[in-house]
Structure formats: C-alpha cells, structure tokens
Amino acid sequence: MGTLSAGGRFFKNEELDIIEQQRLQALLEITDQHDKEVTQLKSRLEAAEQKAEKLNKQVKSADNELKNLRASNPDRMKKQIKRLQEQNRTLTTENGTLKTKQKQLTQQLNANKQELEQLQSEKAEQEGSEES
C-alpha cells in the first residue's frame, strides 16, 4: 500500500524509505559540515583570544613605560626640583631659627646654673657664719 503525497501522487513504502534515507544522509552531511565549521570557528576564537591576551600584555607594558617616561619628564623634574629646593630653604631657615633658640636657651641655662651655684655658696656661707 502507498501513502498520498501533497501533490496527490502515491508513494510506495520503499520510495518513502529511500527519501527518508536521503534526508538523513543530507542531515548527516549538514551536521558534519556544521561540526567542521564549529571546529574552525573555535580554533579561530582561541587564536583571537591568545592574540588579545598578547595585546593586553603589550598595552600594560606600554602603560608602564608611559608612566616611567612621565615620571622622568624634564618639565616635571624641574618642578619637583623647585619644590624640593623651596622645602630645603624653608627647613634650613627653620633649622637656623632653632639653633639660635638653642643657643639662647643654653646661655640662659648656664646663667641659671651660675646663679644657682652663687646662691648655694651664699647659703653655705650663711650657714657657716651662723654656726660660728
């Protein structure tokens, strides 16, 4: 017995089996082709990812080099030198002021020591004269 097709023609079961086999064969070929393309695309994707990774490393390296170049930029160095010189002048002035203050305090200490010694000797004399 046969099966009626959309066009109104009857097909035998053997013909249907052959058509089905042809369809399956075509699907297998399409699947094989698809698998090959997927494999190729995966390979290309891996290569592109490796290339992107290399480029990222190069970008990081270039960024580091740029930072180093900016750090050693002559204009920037001049500004830094001026800033450090100004700091040095300020600290030198401060140091001079502190040395002067130290000198004054040392003189004051020495004067106070001398006065203390004089007072102690006067006290000792008074105690000695009171005992006699």
Side-chain angles (χ1 to χ4, degrees):
M1 176 148 221
T3 305
L4 185 63
S5 74
R9 177 174 170 236
F10 285 98
F11 289 102
K12 294 181 183 176
N13 283 339
E14 296 88 28
E15 289 177 321
L16 287 175
D17 286 343
I18 291 172
I19 291 171
E20 188 63 26
Q21 259 186 336
Q22 288 172 343
R23 281 174 143 178
L24 288 174
Q25 185 63 35
L27 281 173
L28 284 173
E29 288 175 11
I30 290 171
T31 303
D32 286 344
Q33 184 62 31
H34 180 312
D35 287 344
K36 286 178 185 175
E37 288 177 9
V38 167
T39 303
Q40 287 175 347
L41 288 173
K42 281 183 181 178
S43 171
R44 288 173 56 194
L45 177 63
E46 287 175 9
E49 285 174 343
Q50 288 175 351
K51 193 172 187 179
E53 194 174 315
K54 283 182 183 177
L55 288 173
N56 280 336
K57 286 180 183 177
Q58 287 178 345
V59 166
K60 284 181 183 178
S61 174
D63 280 345
N64 287 336
E65 187 177 346
L66 181 60
K67 284 179 187 177
N68 290 336
L69 289 172
R70 283 186 177 154
S72 63
N73 181 342
D75 291 336
R76 185 174 176 183
M77 296 296 267
K78 285 178 186 175
K79 288 178 184 176
Q80 186 175 9
I81 288 169
K82 282 182 181 180
R83 188 174 56 248
L84 290 172
Q85 286 174 336
E86 184 60 36
Q87 258 183 336
N88 190 29
R89 276 193 285 279
T90 304
L91 291 174
T92 301
T93 303
E94 212 174 297
N95 190 31
T97 304
L98 290 174
K99 280 183 178 181
T100 303
K101 223 176 205 180
Q102 181 187 11
K103 197 174 186 180
Q104 289 171 349
L105 289 172
T106 303
Q107 286 174 349
Q108 193 176 4
L109 178 65
N110 290 337
N112 287 340
K113 279 182 182 179
Q114 201 172 20
E115 187 179 340
L116 178 63
E117 287 173 4
Q118 186 177 358
L119 289 172
Q120 284 175 341
S121 74
E122 285 176 7
K123 183 181 177 185
E125 282 179 20
Q126 271 183 351
E127 285 175 359
S129 67
E130 285 178 5
E131 287 178 11
S132 345

